[in-house]
Amino acid sequence: MQSALVVVIMSFIVFSGVFLVGDPVEILVSDDADQEEREMMIKSMGLDKPFLVQYGIFISKAIKGDLGDSFVFQEPALLLILDRMPATMELAIVALLIAIIFGIPLGVWAGLKPESLASKSIMTGSILGFSLPTFWVGIMMILLFAVMLGWLPSTGRGDVQIILGMPISIFSWDGFSHVLMPAVNLALFKLSMVIRLARAGTREVLHQDYIKFARAKGLKETRIILIHVMKNILIPVVTVLGLEFGGLVAFSVVTETVFAWPGMGKLLIDSIGLLDRPIIVAYLMIIVFLFVLINLLVDICYSILDPRVRLQDIKS
Amino acid sequence: MPLSESPTIEVKDLKTYFFTKGGIAKAVDGVSFSVGRGKVLGLVGESGSGKTVTGFSILGLVDEPGRIVGGEILYRGENLVSASPDRMRELRGVNISMIFQDPMMTLNPVLRIDTQMIEAVLAHESISKDDARQRARDVLGQVGIASPDERLRSYPHQFSGGMRQRVAIAIALLNKPDLIVADEPTTALDVTIQGQILYEVQKLCSQTGTALIWITHDLSVVAGLADDICVMYAGRIVEQGSVNSVLDKPMHPYTNGLISSVPSRNKRGVPLAQIPGMAPSLLKLPKGCSFGPRCAQFSDACDSIPDISNYENGRQIRCHNPLDKGTILRVMD
Ligand SMILES: Nc1ncnc2c1ncn2[C@@H]1O[C@H](COP(=O)(O)OP(=O)(O)OP(=O)(O)O)[C@@H](O)[C@H]1O
Ligand SMILES: [Mg+2]
């Protein structure tokens, strides 16, 4: 219910925001078109009507799943974006996995031995990951690994395989080598975040009485860390990461542009250049939708991980 | 205790200090006692006197910035102070177990009770999971938890504080240890359950020969349960001896103060006596006897730290002006 309201409000903000940005007619209509052609064009795109009427038409169509046709491609905007979505999702998911697989062990390690040199280097690295701009790191990676060393390709998706009706790169070596650099680039920020969360969580949990009690039971240190500590820090890490997954998709705009990754972020940037309103609106709506969906999924994961939440759910 | 049988645990001049930013806190400063098979030692004292730290020292669980800086802890003759971390892990939970002070914090909130009990068995014995579960179920029954099967599948937050403490007690009993350090285990329980648990624990100790160190504020619990008593004050034992003789005839003014502040039926209507002042901070201990500033018997001699004096019936007192002067047998250095 609440989620539906969020979607509606966001649709209005998005629509009016795009409305204010600029007039697409100037870009789309060729200079030598006469007044009549110009007017016809405006009419066919529905741009002659007042703002609120345009919004009304947009909403009534949107409910039926029609987010308008692209001005440029003359195709449904939604389809154009959904077509590009698997590429972006693949990139975001691989980035998320990188952040989890490397972030949690590094963060726990840093939390266990806060004074050691290794853990101090990890923390310094995570500050860099936070503060260096994604596009700059991306360009540097291309310079180093593609141009100078020639190890990895710098653009495109490489070989794709159709899996469950979607083109996926990661399952072929060529595709994987194409995903690797953009995914790492996209992951850096989240990786730093996971490291910090895992470290803070570990340090806090380690001082709890129940860890000492686990030691008093004579458990091995590995079991204490892998079960007793890990299960507790997974709660904040999963929550935050889940919520940030939407951000990962949104941020992929930059990475996709740098690595010419044919995902929906790149489509967005191209469309902004052309002021292709329906695509911009459709993209933003999809992102809003995604965020709402992710919130729901995170709530579910959270209750699986934390028994205290589960009980309340059953009660209510 | 016959001479031939060595005590289960013998603590000799134990010193555990905390090296804090504000200075060195001597939480345990020269504590000695011993507990034999099937015996119960009551360790009493005000908050902050070092009772818990003494317990943690025995299990080798003193956290940073704390460290055992001196003394010996002999478990069946083996010195635990110099034992390796692996050796300590082997002993913990099987030979020596501990029940913690705060039942709300001792169980891991995200793990089921069965996980937390079974792992305690499997850490030390290679038996099947089912056998371990069976044992967990039996012990839960022993500490008075109804329908243990269902309880095993619960999470800690589904239990009350009293129930959690029983689970913690059950975990301590799981592997039939030789020594249990029980840190105020019944404070969170109501009186009837407290009585029930005390009875169970006492029975267990006399049956299996488990030695028990029972830490508490509550002198009445000690009176009913313990064989011997140690009274701690600011990191030192100020008086020790058999429960009956100490409670009947306290010699240290602090012990006397503790006893007179316990409500009693015979003194109804008479205002309770109180020990004046507050327990000192370990970072700012008085120069001489740490109890001096609160003591009615204070004299010039108390500007120096009193040694332990031995009295008849094996009693030991750290005081320059004991209340009921018996014959001093020998002054220890
Ligand atoms: N982690 C620590 N860091 C610094 N000092 C500590 C730490 N733990 C304990 N201490 C010191 O040790 C002293 C004794 O603490 P302890 O917990 O043994 O008291 P206690 O007798 O068990 O009190 P209570 O009855 O309140 O449980 C404290 O007053 C404190 O000064
Ligand atoms: Mg304590």
Side-chain angles (χ1 to χ4, degrees):
Chain A
M1 198 46 234
Q2 216 178 351
S3 324
L5 193 69
V6 170
V7 172
V8 171
I9 293 174
M10 278 310 296
S11 77
F12 186 77
I13 297 174
V14 165
F15 197 82
S16 41
V18 172
F19 194 86
L20 292 173
V21 170
D23 188 352
V25 177
E26 301 302 329
I27 294 179
L28 290 173
V29 178
S30 55
D31 288 338
D32 48 338
D34 60 27
Q35 192 61 25
E36 208 164 314
E37 280 175 329
R38 203 181 150 86
E39 230 125 74
M40 243 174 60
M41 188 105 182
I42 291 176
K43 225 180 191 119
S44 77
M45 294 191 290
L47 293 174
D48 52 340
K49 308 197 177 63
F51 167 69
L52 277 178
V53 177
Q54 282 190 37
Y55 179 65
I57 294 172
F58 164 75
I59 282 290
S60 64
K61 281 189 176 168
I63 289 171
K64 291 177 228 140
D66 176 8
L67 292 174
D69 287 356
S70 156
F71 295 157
V72 179
F73 300 99
Q74 308 297 335
E75 270 177 66
L78 194 60
L79 286 187
L80 281 170
I81 294 172
L82 288 183
D83 203 39
R84 304 285 199 101
M85 198 140 134
T88 297
M89 285 299 167
E90 181 179 21
L91 186 62
I93 288 171
V94 175
L96 186 72
L97 290 179
I98 291 176
I100 292 174
I101 292 169
F102 292 94
I104 292 181
L106 287 175
V108 170
W109 174 267
L112 290 176
K113 303 204 171 3
E115 300 305 326
S116 75
L117 188 66
S119 99
K120 282 186 175 145
S121 332
I122 292 171
M123 294 325 287
T124 314
S126 87
I127 292 174
L128 287 181
F130 262 126
S131 43
L132 294 178
T134 307
F135 74 89
W136 182 82
V137 176
I139 292 169
M140 287 302 133
M141 285 169 81
I142 291 180
L143 265 182
L144 183 62
F145 295 109
V147 179
M148 286 165 64
L149 297 170
W151 288 351
L152 293 168
S154 65
T155 56
R157 287 189 78 178
D159 275 355
V160 293
Q161 280 155 319
I162 306 295
I163 289 160
L164 297 173
M166 287 180 296
I168 303 291
S169 302
I170 185 134
F171 295 109
S172 70
W173 171 248
D174 181 60
F176 179 74
S177 67
H178 279 81
V179 182
L180 194 58
M181 244 198 317
V184 168
N185 182 234
L186 186 58
L188 277 182
F189 192 84
K190 302 294 168 214
L191 178 67
S192 314
M193 198 179 68
V194 174
I195 289 177
R196 302 208 141 235
L197 276 173
R199 185 182 99 115
T202 305
R203 298 201 59 185
E204 193 193 316
V205 170
L206 272 185
H207 287 114
Q208 298 291 326
D209 266 5
Y210 55 76
I211 297 299
K212 203 168 200 175
F213 190 63
R215 294 217 168 93
K217 290 194 287 191
L219 300 188
K220 293 208 169 71
E221 203 60 17
T222 41
R223 183 171 172 95
I224 291 177
I225 290 160
L226 291 182
I227 308 281
H228 286 255
V229 175
M230 209 65 122
K231 265 214 138 186
N232 277 284
I233 66 163
L234 276 184
I235 295 171
V237 169
V238 166
T239 313
V240 174
L241 261 190
L243 293 175
E244 292 275 329
F245 182 72
L248 209 53
V249 173
F251 254 97
S252 71
V253 171
V254 177
T255 299
E256 284 180 14
T257 310
V258 172
F259 290 91
W261 184 261
M264 50 189 205
K266 190 159 180 310
L267 178 68
L268 174 76
I269 293 293
D270 296 345
S271 303
I272 289 176
L274 296 168
L275 284 177
D276 195 346
R277 268 192 212 166
I279 294 213
I280 303 174
V281 173
Y283 174 86
L284 292 175
M285 288 315 296
I286 286 178
I287 294 284
V288 170
F289 201 75
L290 199 70
F291 267 89
V292 171
L293 192 74
I294 287 167
N295 261 311
L296 282 174
L297 289 178
V298 169
D299 278 352
I300 294 170
C301 281
Y302 190 68
S303 65
I304 291 174
L305 280 174
D306 193 339
R308 286 160 293 190
V309 179
R310 216 178 305 160
L311 188 77
Q312 284 159 12
D313 284 350
I314 296 165
K315 274 186 191 153
S316 64
Chain B
M1 189 172 59
L3 278 174
S4 58
E5 195 183 334
S6 68
T8 304
I9 187 92
E10 201 174 354
V11 175
K12 287 183 180 164
D13 199 26
L14 176 69
K15 292 182 175 155
T16 305
Y17 295 175
F18 284 86
F19 298 85
T20 65
K21 291 205 181 74
I24 300 175
K26 302 181 175 178
V28 176
D29 196 15
V31 162
S32 307
F33 57 78
S34 69
V35 194
R37 259 178 65 85
K39 295 288 177 194
V40 181
L41 173 78
L43 192 56
V44 297
E46 276 172 298
S47 194
S49 53
K51 308 182 294 293
T52 300
V53 174
T54 305
F56 283 153
S57 303
I58 293 172
L59 275 92
L61 287 176
V62 179
D63 281 330
E64 291 287 306
R67 200 150 29 92
I68 297 178
V69 295
E72 287 179 352
I73 300 169
L74 301 174
Y75 167 74
R76 295 181 152 183
E78 177 180 356
N79 188 0
L80 302 185
V81 174
S82 53
S84 73
D86 272 345
R87 177 66 186 145
M88 285 311 289
R89 190 193 69 72
E90 271 172 29
L91 292 173
R92 280 198 292 264
V94 201
N95 301 68
I96 308 175
S97 62
M98 181 157 175
I99 304 161
F100 283 22
Q101 195 162 2
D102 184 355
M104 302 309 275
M105 306 297 295
T106 34
L107 298 173
N108 193 324
V110 300
L111 298 176
R112 285 194 340 199
I113 302 297
D114 54 0
T115 314
Q116 302 195 46
M117 292 190 80
I118 291 170
E119 67 180 2
V121 177
L122 296 184
H124 303 287
E125 265 175 79
S126 35
I127 58 172
S128 78
K129 236 180 164 169
D130 282 339
D131 291 348
R133 172 182 295 272
Q134 180 62 44
R135 185 176 322 160
R137 188 187 311 152
D138 294 345
V139 180
L140 279 187
Q142 253 179 43
V143 296
I145 287 185
S147 54
D149 272 310
E150 186 189 321
R151 288 318 202 163
L152 273 176
R153 286 190 302 271
S154 312
Y155 284 93
H157 68 269
Q158 294 164 298
F159 287 62
S160 67
M163 292 289 264
R164 288 191 208 192
Q165 191 62 306
R166 287 201 226 186
V167 173
I169 293 171
I171 291 177
L173 299 178
L174 264 180
N175 295 319
K176 303 210 165 46
D178 293 332
L179 171 67
I180 300 178
V181 179
D183 193 354
E184 311 204 28
T186 55
T187 316
L189 307 179
D190 59 56
V191 184
T192 46
I193 296 167
Q194 184 173 335
Q196 196 183 332
I197 296 229
L198 285 177
Y199 171 75
E200 282 291 341
V201 171
Q202 206 166 19
K203 195 172 78 183
L204 182 107
C205 289
S206 56
Q207 274 172 1
T208 60
T210 302
L212 182 64
I213 298 174
W214 192 278
I215 298 175
T216 183
H217 289 108
D218 191 344
L219 280 174
S220 59
V221 169
V222 175
L225 180 73
D227 301 295
D228 294 319
I229 182 172
C230 287
V231 180
M232 264 187 102
Y233 187 82
R236 299 201 185 95
I237 291 179
V238 293
E239 173 153 18
Q240 66 180 304
S242 78
V243 162
N244 292 336
S245 71
V246 171
L247 293 186
D248 287 348
K249 229 169 76 175
M251 292 168 81
H252 196 285
Y254 177 65
T255 317
N256 189 45
L258 280 183
I259 294 171
S260 354
S261 55
V262 175
S264 128
R265 257 201 310 195
N266 310 332
K267 295 187 291 185
R268 204 183 309 194
V270 182
L272 280 179
Q274 265 191 342
I275 304 172
M278 296 226 301
S281 152
L282 288 180
L283 297 177
K284 283 186 292 222
L285 282 184
K287 186 161 59 86
C289 172
S290 23
F291 187 59
R294 302 170 74 186
C295 185
Q297 312 289 113
F298 188 82
S299 70
D300 288 345
C302 303
D303 278 335
S304 72
I305 297 176
D307 291 322
I308 295 174
S309 342
N310 285 316
Y311 290 81
E312 58 227 301
N313 307 328
R315 292 191 51 182
Q316 299 184 333
I317 288 99
R318 245 184 217 277
C319 184
H320 290 297
N321 307 309
L323 291 174
D324 193 341
K325 286 205 178 75
T327 18
I328 298 188
L329 297 178
R330 171 166 60 92
V331 175
M332 304 219 314
D333 44 11

